[in-house]
Amino acid sequence: MSTLTVPLLLSSPIDDARHLHRAFKGFRSDKSAVINILAHRDAAQRALIQYEYRALYAEDLPTRLSSELSGNLETALLLWMHDPPGRDAMIVRQALRKDLLNLETATEVICSRTPSQIQVFKQHYYAKYGVVLEHDIELRASGDHKKVGLCFLVLAKALIDNKVHLGVVEFLCSNLGF
């Protein structure tokens, strides 16, 4: 198993954008340089790098990553470029696609988030895809995955609003077979 060491002094987002651009030059991209830069930055720093990359080169960094990389590395880095709620929204949307339906993944993301995280990622989902998450789950999910997903989304909203009513909890639990 390998370990990552964080450099003592991080370069600026502008320098990182320039280094990434250089890594994409030539016949093959320098994947290790791309990984080295992005692996040592948090989500906020990666967002600044994306901003600077677009400002310097009039090109979207995730689009460039997609054209330069492939396979699992491309998938991982593209997901990494988003903040956690945006990433959750993308994962759930992809899991609910008709051609690649993966209800286990959608259920895992929804059920592993706190109520406040669910609310934020629902907002990202709506902003990005123009549809309410509950509607997509109602439309595309089925069986227990549909029940659990909708239950978690409804309860998350109720907990955030401090409007948890015992009757609602009993109704949801009875529909789930508890």
Side-chain angles (χ1 to χ4, degrees):
M1 180 179 278
S2 65
T3 58
L4 283 176
T5 56
V6 178
L8 295 175
L9 186 61
L10 294 177
S11 59
S12 72
I14 293 173
D15 290 339
D16 286 341
R18 288 182 178 136
H19 291 308
L20 286 169
H21 188 70
R22 269 185 250 138
F24 297 140
K25 293 269 186 198
F27 181 66
R28 289 188 172 194
S29 60
D30 185 355
K31 293 176 187 173
S32 63
V34 172
I35 293 168
N36 191 38
I37 292 168
L38 297 177
H40 292 103
R41 309 299 183 268
D42 62 23
Q45 292 167 328
R46 287 190 296 271
L48 289 172
I49 293 168
Q50 285 185 71
Y51 176 81
E52 294 298 343
Y53 192 91
R54 182 186 301 265
L56 288 170
Y57 304 108
E59 183 179 22
D60 189 41
L61 182 56
T63 303
R64 185 62 187 258
L65 286 169
S66 185
S67 70
E68 295 288 337
L69 306 172
S70 62
N72 292 337
L73 179 61
E74 174 190 5
T75 303
L77 286 177
L78 288 176
L79 286 173
W80 218 1
M81 295 306 294
H82 297 278
D83 61 337
R87 182 173 40 248
D88 287 346
M90 277 182 53
I91 290 170
V92 170
R93 178 65 175 208
Q94 199 167 28
L96 292 175
R97 284 181 38 195
K98 287 182 182 179
D99 56 336
L100 300 172
L101 194 63
N102 186 342
L103 296 176
E104 293 82 8
T105 298
T107 303
E108 181 179 339
V109 170
I110 293 167
C111 294
S112 64
R113 302 301 182 258
T114 65
S116 59
Q117 289 171 329
I118 289 173
Q119 289 306 106
V120 173
F121 114 70
K122 281 175 50 178
Q123 292 168 353
H124 275 74
Y125 193 93
Y126 182 77
K128 189 167 190 147
Y129 303 112
V131 65
V132 178
L133 178 57
E134 290 90 333
H135 175 68
D136 268 359
I137 291 174
E138 183 73 39
L139 184 68
R140 297 188 176 126
S142 61
D144 289 341
H145 290 285
K146 181 177 185 175
K147 291 177 187 176
V148 169
L150 290 174
C151 179
F152 265 76
L153 294 173
V154 169
L155 283 176
K157 174 89 171 101
L159 287 168
I160 293 293
D161 294 343
N162 287 323
K163 295 181 182 175
V164 178
H165 188 273
L166 187 57
V168 172
V169 174
E170 287 174 353
F171 173 77
L172 290 171
C173 289
S174 67
N175 278 339
L176 290 171
F178 295 120

